[in-house]
Amino acid sequence: MDMIDYPDGEQFSPGHVACAGCAEALSLRVILNTLGADAIAVVPPSCTAVICGGYPLSSVSIPVQHTTLESAAASASGVKRSLNALGKTNTTVVCLAGDGGTYDIGLQALSSAAERNEDILYVCFDNEGYMNTGGQKSSSTPLNAITGSTPAGKLSRKKNLVEILAAHRIPYIATCSPAHLSDMSAKIKKAASIRGTKVIMVIIPCLPGWGVADDAAVKTARMAVDSGVFPLYEVEDGVDYTMTIDTRNQSVNAYLKQQKRYRNLSDKNISDIQADVDKEWEYLLGRARK
Amino acid sequence: MDRQPSPLWTNSSSLLRKTGTWRSAKPEYILSPSPCLGACPVNGRIAEWIGLLMEGDVKGAWLTLVDNNPFPAIAGRICHHPCETVCNRQQMDEAVGICSLERHVGDVAMREGWSFPVPEKEGEKSVAVIGGGPAGLSAAYQLRRLGIKVNLLEQQPQLGGLLRYGIPAYRLDKKIVDYEIRRIIDMGVDVELSAEVDDQHALQKLHDEFDAVYIATGASQSKALPGLDYSQSWVIDSAEFLSATNAGEPCSLGSDLVVIGGGSAAIDVARTARRLGKSVKLLSLEPEHLLPAQKTEVDEAIEEGIEFVTAAQMQSVSKDGGSLILECIRINFNQGEERGKFTINPVPGSEFQLRTDAIIPSIGQDADTSRWQSLLDSDGTVVKTDDCWQTSTQGIFAGGDVASMDRFVTQAVGMGKQAAAEIGYYLEQLLSGSPVMNANETEFSEINTNYFPAAARNKQADLEVDDRLQNFSEVQQPLAEDHALAEASRCFSCGSCIYCDNCYLYCPDMAITKLKHGYEVKSDYCKGCGLCVAECPTGSVVMLEEGQGTA
């Protein structure tokens, strides 16, 4: 059997208020324990903010600074520079943000930090919408997905943030899934060892937002990877692409069918999505082969 | 540095918040039976011993195996392995090679010389076991484990019954039989060889002398083929043919033989005759796909050059000079609802002839139930027993072929085990139980196959056909050590926890505690999402609504 391997040093505590079965809480557990005690987190408004806190209680052992939705990367840059000034150069500064705070509202700050190649680790929990405020669409929401603000399904495609970040030529970008915990831990470890701006995108199937069962977040994330909807890969220095898993073993159909946000898809919609996923997959493989 | 906490700082851990109150269902760890356990004639805890094998604990695997079956090396060679037929893994790729793994463990045990302990405390009770075949030996073994004295009476000059006198050496080397029987006898079984219990007086005497009697005399009388004159020198009894060959003194026959029958014994006769250099035809009522023999046996027999004449019946025999002419006809064979309740219809105009030197009918064996008629009720074919394997006379138990139409070797081993438990109960020496199974059989849908990479079955090699026909060497070769390990790791361990930590590592609420050997759910924090159940590879944890206990 394939065994999962990551260290658990109790950096994340029970009693947090994530929904039952939340893959973001699960991913936080892996990330915080991989980073260990010598780290400071910067968190904009997001599910993560709720999960870490709930004043006056904290579920996270390391210090967490709550900041505004626009400024996660800027705040983290400041925290890192302050630590450097104090001579604490080994401390990892990690942003834990949602896709709203990354794709949309925090993009300017992130782009600026990336342009300056600030020495921060930026983790985006991508649940493809503003799920913490009732499920509105973000620019990460995929085509045809129903959200509170796209009741007939979103009309535009999901923004490709990895390519935007790659264009900054930052040292490391990787995608992760809560169905691949050993891989997630390994990528966090690798990112933390690199100087400069590192970004990790984690797919988070949101139970209420996507309309999947309480026990199905991991399964859904696995299907996203296995169907090629959310490929696992790394980009180094903005140009070197490496596929973590370079095979697909299922069509998008099963992945889409088990999510209520895709309940209105026509057969044509599904075949269009499949064609798009196929095209993106081939493009990515092409990049990785160069 | 002395610093006043700012009112904007959190000051306590979320541990104060008992999110377990959100829950409506809670995970419960179970040990549920794997399908192979249900199918196993000795109810062997297969998932458990393969799990130990996977961890490299061969001794542990052997100890678990011999809890139910003292003959792993024998069963690993000849068991009809119904376990593999129901294996959940076949719904993903191919069934796990359970039988080959059992042989591996049995062979390692022989190589290492592992033995059974002599009972620490010798009890007062004693039991006479009549018949030293698989059922009798299995019962003797289990009775000795209870500290009960055993007197084993065997009619033949050596122990083993069918294992020694019926099954040919190319399937089961007699050195294996000697070894695994010796290991049981060394537990302190008193053996009397060439001992006949031929009538009810002899049986009554044993009944008076011992606290209980177990009859496992097997079925050693060949069924007679109607219309065939058995007094002719060209008709040879199949049991006699096999036991003579196994004893190293084969009967003298012509060069051409016809074996009549389609079961394992018929195939054994045919293949044995091939090894004696004969040209062999096998005539059966059943068409090839319905032959009662195992498919591998049929395939191997065909490889060895045995000619199958199936869906046909012999109608008469006549002599033509030195040879025989068999008048045969093609038939339509109808299986029927129950085993043995078939019907046949000859196809008019399909008559044909077979020319041969001798005939060996091998259409099954009957038990001799008549010799104890006044003491034990029988239904004409087998001795009657109740649910506890007790005969119509209190204190006399029976099992194996003499009391059942289930005629596979391991079924006899299973019956011996059950009877020993019942005798133990009857004599008030209760068995120490196996772990209690507290759930339904694990289904394929409960296995998370994402954790099991696709892997083809590690197959045992067969001896080359030319080499096989030279002598009686075992056809089936053992799995190499590394192949056995690879094969063991293909097992889903259905319903048994393998301590992989998935439940612990996938919990978003850190609500699982790792124990030394197992896990515990923290009621204070488990929100009841069920991720641990969904991601359990083996189906050994289930969600139960609060307040609901395991069945």
Side-chain angles (χ1 to χ4, degrees):
Chain A
M1 206 199 95
D2 292 342
M3 303 290 266
I4 300 167
D5 180 30
Y6 81 83
D8 186 37
E10 302 189 354
Q11 290 294 314
F12 186 43
S13 299
H16 62 71
V17 293
C19 303
C22 175
E24 185 164 320
L26 171 60
S27 305
L28 263 173
R29 180 182 179 192
V30 177
I31 292 164
L32 292 168
N33 282 304
T34 303
L35 291 175
D38 192 11
I40 291 179
V42 176
V43 178
S46 56
C47 287
T48 309
V50 179
I51 296 168
C52 293
Y55 184 81
L57 306 181
S58 173
S59 60
V60 178
S61 300
I62 58 170
V64 177
Q65 187 205 0
H66 279 261
T67 182
T68 61
L69 194 45
E70 302 89 331
S71 65
S75 300
S77 305
V79 172
K80 181 66 194 180
R81 285 175 181 230
S82 308
L83 287 166
N84 283 345
L86 291 169
K88 296 180 179 174
T89 51
N90 287 333
T91 305
T92 305
V93 176
V94 58
C95 279
L96 303 169
D99 53 283
T102 305
Y103 281 74
D104 297 348
I105 302 171
L107 183 59
Q108 174 274 129
L110 176 57
S111 175
S112 302
E115 186 265 325
R116 297 189 304 272
N117 199 23
E118 296 285 347
D119 188 17
I120 58 170
L121 169 57
Y122 192 105
V123 178
C124 173
F125 295 113
D126 187 357
N127 58 17
E128 304 189 330
Y130 290 83
M131 298 311 180
N132 183 34
T133 51
Q136 295 80 21
K137 75 113 194 165
S138 75
S139 56
S140 167
T141 305
L143 181 70
N144 299 137
I146 294 170
T147 66
S149 51
T150 55
K154 193 184 172 217
L155 301 174
S156 53
R157 55 182 296 128
K158 177 183 170 110
K159 185 192 279 181
N160 189 329
L161 190 66
V162 174
E163 283 190 7
I164 294 174
L165 291 163
H168 291 72
R169 301 293 185 258
I170 53 174
Y172 188 70
I173 309 164
T175 61
C176 292
S177 124
H180 302 77
L181 301 186
S182 305
D183 177 58
M184 185 189 292
S185 181
K187 283 172 174 166
I188 291 287
K189 206 170 162 191
K190 181 172 176 180
S193 73
I194 297 170
R195 254 185 94 82
T197 307
K198 293 83 60 178
V199 180
I200 305 268
M201 311 290 297
V202 189
I203 179 93
I204 303 292
C206 175
L207 307 174
W210 293 21
V212 293
D214 279 5
D215 65 353
V218 171
K219 176 182 162 200
T220 308
R222 186 183 295 119
M223 290 168 105
V225 173
D226 287 349
S227 62
V229 169
F230 190 86
L232 295 186
Y233 62 107
E234 298 170 288
V235 186
E236 283 167 281
D237 302 319
V239 288
D240 294 331
Y241 282 64
T242 310
M243 300 301 291
T244 308
I245 298 174
D246 62 1
T247 52
R248 294 184 291 170
N249 61 18
Q250 55 179 265
S251 69
V252 297
N253 198 39
Y255 168 72
L256 299 172
K257 277 281 158 68
Q258 65 144 7
Q259 301 174 43
K260 289 208 186 89
R261 64 175 175 160
Y262 288 120
R263 62 186 175 273
N264 290 347
L265 290 190
S266 65
D267 289 348
K268 170 86 169 59
N269 290 147
I270 294 173
S271 61
D272 286 351
I273 292 172
Q274 182 69 61
D276 189 51
V277 167
D278 291 348
K279 206 170 126 195
E280 291 288 321
W281 177 263
E282 287 308 321
Y283 171 75
L284 204 54
L285 283 191
R287 291 297 307 252
R289 273 189 220 108
K290 272 176 200 154
Chain B
M1 190 166 61
D2 193 20
R3 193 175 58 187
Q4 283 291 316
S6 149
L8 290 174
W9 285 70
T10 53
N11 54 27
S12 282
S13 160
S14 61
L15 284 165
L16 292 175
R17 207 186 279 122
K18 308 289 192 222
T19 47
T21 55
W22 302 9
R23 182 180 65 233
S24 64
K26 193 180 158 193
E28 178 109 14
Y29 292 90
I30 54 166
L31 176 61
S32 75
S34 52
C36 49
L37 183 145
C40 177
V42 300
N43 290 110
R45 302 196 303 282
I46 296 167
E48 192 181 323
W49 66 256
I50 295 185
L52 291 164
L53 195 55
M54 239 186 275
E55 292 169 22
D57 182 4
V58 189
K59 181 86 188 256
W62 182 74
L63 288 171
T64 309
L65 248 169
V66 298
D67 198 24
N68 295 296
N69 179 3
F71 303 116
I74 293 173
R77 284 167 168 79
I78 55 154
C79 185
H80 60 301
H81 48 73
C83 50
E84 295 184 21
T85 315
V86 298
C87 176
N88 273 331
R89 174 110 197 184
Q90 68 191 316
Q91 297 188 51
M92 176 174 154
D93 42 29
E94 284 173 281
V96 175
I98 300 169
C99 206
S100 63
L101 291 175
E102 179 165 12
R103 171 176 175 172
H104 174 73
V105 174
D107 286 358
V108 171
M110 286 199 294
R111 206 169 58 222
E112 299 291 326
W114 294 331
S115 59
F116 301 133
V118 177
E120 279 172 29
K121 235 177 72 190
E122 211 55 70
E124 297 293 306
K125 309 283 182 181
S126 61
V127 174
V129 175
I130 311 173
L137 286 164
S138 167
Y141 164 71
Q142 300 288 359
L143 289 168
R144 284 304 289 149
R145 294 176 83 199
L146 298 175
I148 295 171
K149 294 194 192 87
V150 176
N151 255 50
L152 181 60
L153 299 109
E154 168 59 50
Q155 184 183 13
Q156 299 286 339
Q158 275 183 288
L159 290 172
L162 184 82
L163 300 172
R164 181 175 307 280
Y165 297 105
I167 296 172
Y170 64 85
R171 285 215 287 144
L172 176 62
D173 194 306
K174 298 311 154 201
K175 286 201 289 286
I176 313 288
V177 177
D178 290 339
Y179 191 96
E180 292 207 318
I181 292 176
R182 167 55 49 197
R183 207 166 46 194
I184 296 172
I185 304 310
D186 286 348
M187 295 168 84
V189 177
D190 291 327
V191 181
E192 272 181 63
L193 296 171
S194 308
E196 193 93 45
V197 184
D198 42 15
D199 58 18
Q200 69 258 35
H201 303 296
L203 182 59
Q204 183 62 51
K205 199 166 154 260
L206 289 174
H207 188 33
D208 297 340
E209 211 174 311
F210 291 89
D211 298 299
V213 177
Y214 181 58
I215 300 176
T217 45
S220 49
Q221 298 179 327
S222 296
K223 276 196 177 104
L225 189 66
L228 187 64
D229 182 1
Y230 277 69
S231 64
Q232 297 292 340
S233 63
W234 39 265
V235 177
I236 300 129
D237 178 75
S238 65
E240 208 173 286
F241 172 76
L242 285 175
S243 78
T245 313
N246 279 338
E249 297 151 1
C251 317
S252 60
L253 303 154
S255 60
D256 246 53
L257 294 177
V258 167
V259 178
I260 299 177
S264 282
I267 307 261
D268 283 347
V269 170
R271 294 176 71 188
T272 298
R274 273 302 283 154
R275 281 163 175 73
L276 298 173
K278 313 295 178 192
S279 156
V280 183
K281 290 187 185 70
L282 187 138
L283 183 67
S284 74
L285 297 177
E286 300 90 351
E288 195 180 313
H289 69 282
L290 291 178
L291 286 172
Q294 293 172 53
K295 193 180 175 303
T296 49
E297 293 179 278
V298 176
D299 291 345
E300 287 172 2
I302 292 170
E303 285 169 11
E304 289 165 14
I306 288 156
E307 192 186 325
F308 280 67
V309 184
T310 54
Q313 186 182 29
M314 182 185 77
Q315 294 189 304
S316 63
V317 192
S318 58
K319 279 213 77 152
D320 176 33
S323 61
L324 305 169
I325 294 177
L326 277 56
E327 300 290 343
C328 305
I329 190 163
R330 298 281 168 198
I331 55 160
N332 284 321
F333 181 87
N334 190 333
Q335 221 176 343
E337 302 271 304
E338 254 178 86
R339 198 175 122 199
K341 304 268 184 209
F342 59 86
T343 52
I344 54 170
N345 293 307
V347 180
S350 69
E351 292 83 359
F352 65 101
Q353 288 184 339
L354 292 178
R355 188 173 276 273
T356 189
D357 297 325
I359 301 172
I360 309 184
S362 179
I363 55 165
Q365 312 265 97
D366 279 327
D368 174 12
T369 58
S370 58
R371 57 178 139 164
W372 306 306
Q373 219 161 15
S374 65
L375 213 51
L376 308 179
D377 290 351
S378 86
D379 67 0
T381 46
V382 293
V383 170
K384 270 193 192 167
T385 52
D386 61 14
D387 293 345
C388 305
W389 296 104
Q390 189 159 218
T391 63
S392 53
T393 301
Q394 201 186 356
I396 300 184
F397 295 77
D401 290 2
V402 75
S404 167
M405 289 308 287
D406 291 334
R407 295 280 165 94
F408 288 110
V409 167
T410 40
Q411 289 175 321
V413 175
M415 286 184 249
K417 182 190 91 162
Q418 289 162 15
E422 296 297 344
I423 294 169
Y425 187 74
Y426 173 76
L427 300 175
E428 293 173 301
Q429 308 220 4
L430 297 177
L431 276 183
S432 62
S434 302
V436 179
M437 297 284 178
N438 54 3
N440 295 328
E441 212 162 77
T442 310
E443 289 175 22
F444 178 65
S445 60
E446 293 167 68
I447 303 297
N448 192 328
T449 53
N450 290 294
Y451 298 99
F452 298 98
R457 179 171 161 140
N458 296 273
K459 294 199 169 72
Q460 286 169 288
D462 278 352
L463 218 55
E464 292 295 329
V465 176
D466 288 345
D467 296 335
R468 283 188 220 165
L469 296 179
Q470 302 306 314
N471 52 42
F472 282 83
S473 301
E474 283 189 338
V475 171
Q476 204 172 46
Q477 300 300 302
L479 283 181
E481 186 95 32
D482 52 337
H483 288 181
L485 206 62
E487 189 56 22
S489 68
R490 293 181 68 244
C491 177
F492 288 161
S493 307
C494 303
S496 290
C497 179
I498 52 171
Y499 313 108
C500 69
D501 290 351
N502 269 17
C503 54
Y504 168 78
L505 293 170
Y506 273 116
C507 180
D509 291 288
M510 286 67 70
I512 308 278
T513 311
K514 269 201 269 190
L515 305 176
K516 196 166 175 208
H517 224 46
Y519 306 92
E520 197 172 63
V521 180
K522 291 177 187 155
S523 294
D524 279 352
Y525 302 110
C526 170
K527 292 172 185 160
C529 68
L531 257 181
C532 49
V533 174
E535 297 308 317
C536 175
T538 69
S540 57
V541 55
V542 293
M543 292 305 285
L544 288 181
E545 274 183 42
E546 289 283 25
Q548 194 189 329
T550 39

